């Protein structure tokens, strides 16, 4: 008897042309990840029939939803398709901004040691987060919401690598706040929420389509408290901007720019006599008229 092990699994994807439909001859691509929690969940409902023996006489499965998180280490080129899906747009001359183009994927969890392959269709990027901190790879999480799932003893196909560049870390690159370099930041987190909800109709337990809301980008900047400059931006409701450039060992760059933000909190509480006082600033990204987007992602290939 063989049990499935994580070291013999992988996750692959292919863009869909029609929502919820796997291409006829899918060219599967490997999704670099550090885990995944993709599952099909079902609502259930029971009969309300009243009986003198107090028993429940029936239960039915209801609507189906695919959901789950995929944690990853950010690397150059490997996640371009999912960055585009998260922003509902496409790279144009290596620049990506918020758009309105719906993108979905068929994804396959492959358990090759037991020859079982679970396919998820209609997968869209509902949320995307990034976490940048010292002494660690730049990590993130892709939050998926999808349509349906099947399990088979046959794979859609062996996946190929999208890109193999080393992950980004927080030591190489640059961080700008309000257009100027800032050296006191200890952590930067971004969180994008597309507010996607499934649209169910009569005749099918699976969503006919996904309804998406506004692109809501928020985050948290944590810095050593060295002056009132940052705190005053919150106190005075002063608009600012953030830009972080990450560089991998091969010299590839990705710049994530938020051209217009407002801080929504500023906390510099003292927690210990033996530790530095940290300033925690939550922020909301807003649409920049000059950039026509609340976020601008620029990639620069070292070659």
């Amino acid at each position: 008897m063989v049990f499935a092990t994580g070291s013999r699994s992988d996750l692959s994807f292919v863009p869909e042309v029609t929502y919820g439909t796997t291409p006829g001859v899918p060219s599967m691509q490997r999704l670099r990840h550090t885990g995944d929690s993709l599952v099909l969940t079902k609502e259930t409902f029971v009969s309300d029939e009243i009986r003198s023996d107090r028993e429940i006489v029936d239960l039915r499965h209801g609507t189906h939803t695919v959901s789950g998180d995929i944690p990853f280490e950010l690397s150059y080129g490997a996640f371009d398709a999912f960055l585009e899906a998260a922003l509902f747009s496409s790279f144009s001359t290596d620049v990506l901004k918020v758009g309105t183009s719906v993108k979905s994927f068929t994804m396959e969890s492959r358990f090759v040691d037991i020859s079982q392959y679970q396919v998820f269709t209609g997968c869209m990027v509902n949320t995307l987060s990034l976490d940048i901190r010292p002494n660690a790879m730049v990590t993130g999480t892709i939050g998926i919401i999808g349509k349906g799932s099947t399990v088979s003893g046959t794979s859609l196909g062996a996946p190929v690598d999208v890109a193999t560049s080393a992950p980004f870390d927080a030591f190489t690159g640059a961080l700008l706040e309000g257009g100027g370099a800032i050296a006191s930041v200890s952590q930067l987190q971004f969180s994008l929420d597309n507010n996607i909800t499934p649209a169910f109709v009569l005749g099918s337990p699976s969503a006919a389509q996904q309804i998406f809301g506004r692109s809501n980008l928020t985050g948290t900047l944590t810095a050593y408290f060295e002056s009132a400059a940052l705190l005053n931006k919150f106190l005075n409701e002063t608009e600012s901007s953030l830009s972080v450039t990450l560089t991998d060992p091969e010299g590839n760059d990705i710049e994530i720019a938020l051209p217009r933000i407002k801080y929504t909190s500023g906390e510099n509480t003292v927690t210990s006599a033996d530790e530095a006082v940290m300033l925690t600033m939550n922020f909301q990204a807003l649409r920049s008229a000059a950039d026509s987007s609340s976020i601008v992602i620029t990639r620069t290939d070292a070659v």
Side-chain angles (χ1 to χ4, degrees):
M1 181 180 294
V2 178
F3 296 137
T5 60
S7 64
R8 295 281 286 138
S9 69
D10 59 28
L11 189 61
S12 59
F13 71 95
V14 62
E16 296 176 344
V17 177
T18 302
Y19 171 76
T21 302
T22 305
V25 185
S27 298
M28 304 304 292
Q29 303 175 73
R30 181 175 289 105
L31 178 57
R32 297 172 68 175
H33 65 296
T34 59
D36 83 82
S37 61
L38 281 181
V39 294
L40 176 72
T41 58
K42 296 182 180 182
E43 298 290 335
T44 60
F45 53 97
V46 299
S47 170
D48 289 330
E49 182 179 334
I50 300 173
R51 295 172 52 92
S52 61
D53 57 14
R54 303 188 305 111
E55 299 285 14
I56 294 173
V57 298
D58 203 359
L59 173 145
R60 301 289 172 82
H61 285 189
T63 53
H64 303 179
T65 304
V66 169
S67 62
D69 292 333
I70 305 170
F72 63 91
E73 296 173 341
L74 183 64
S75 57
Y76 187 83
F79 299 93
D80 287 358
F82 287 86
L83 292 174
E84 290 179 334
L87 269 63
F88 283 57
S89 187
S90 299
F91 277 98
S92 176
T93 59
D94 292 320
V95 175
L96 180 65
K97 300 181 180 182
V98 175
T100 57
S101 299
V102 177
K103 298 177 184 291
S104 64
F105 305 97
T106 290
M107 306 186 73
E108 183 178 54
S109 289
R110 296 172 12 107
F111 304 96
V112 297
D113 48 2
I114 62 170
S115 299
Q116 293 295 302
Y117 308 94
Q118 187 166 9
V119 174
F120 303 94
T121 57
C123 295
M124 297 177 61
V125 178
N126 185 34
T127 60
L128 176 69
S129 64
L130 288 176
D131 189 348
I132 307 170
R133 65 180 70 195
N135 206 36
M137 303 297 186
V138 176
T139 61
T141 300
I142 299 166
I144 294 291
I145 187 166
K147 182 175 184 178
S149 177
T150 58
V151 178
S152 171
T154 304
S155 174
L156 293 176
V160 299
D161 289 319
V162 179
T164 58
S165 297
F168 292 106
D169 60 48
F171 294 124
T172 309
L175 176 62
L176 302 179
E177 198 286 332
I182 181 170
S184 59
V185 175
S186 64
Q187 186 176 4
L188 185 60
Q189 296 171 299
F190 302 101
S191 181
L192 174 66
D193 190 345
N194 286 312
N195 296 290
I196 296 176
T197 56
F200 296 106
V201 296
L202 297 179
S204 174
S206 301
Q209 190 52 266
Q210 305 289 349
I211 306 301
F212 56 91
R214 293 185 295 177
S215 174
N216 183 21
L217 180 59
T218 58
T220 303
L221 180 151
T222 304
Y224 289 95
F225 188 41
E226 60 177 352
S227 76
L230 270 178
L231 184 57
N232 277 333
K233 290 188 176 183
F234 163 64
L235 297 176
N236 299 324
E237 199 179 338
T238 303
E239 290 191 3
S240 191
S241 62
L242 277 174
S243 173
V244 58
T245 300
L246 303 169
T247 305
D248 70 16
E250 299 168 21
N252 301 305
D253 285 348
I254 184 169
E255 180 192 42
I256 303 170
L258 310 182
R260 182 177 172 229
I261 67 169
K262 276 191 178 183
Y263 291 106
T264 56
S265 70
E267 300 178 4
N268 56 339
T269 55
V270 178
T271 59
S272 170
D274 301 316
E275 297 179 357
V277 176
M278 306 302 296
L279 177 62
T280 302
M281 308 278 289
N282 293 323
F283 59 82
Q284 171 76 55
L286 303 168
R287 183 183 187 275
S288 164
D291 296 277
S292 300
S293 183
S294 57
I295 179 173
V296 181
I297 299 176
T298 305
R299 61 189 183 189
T300 305
D301 198 319
V303 178

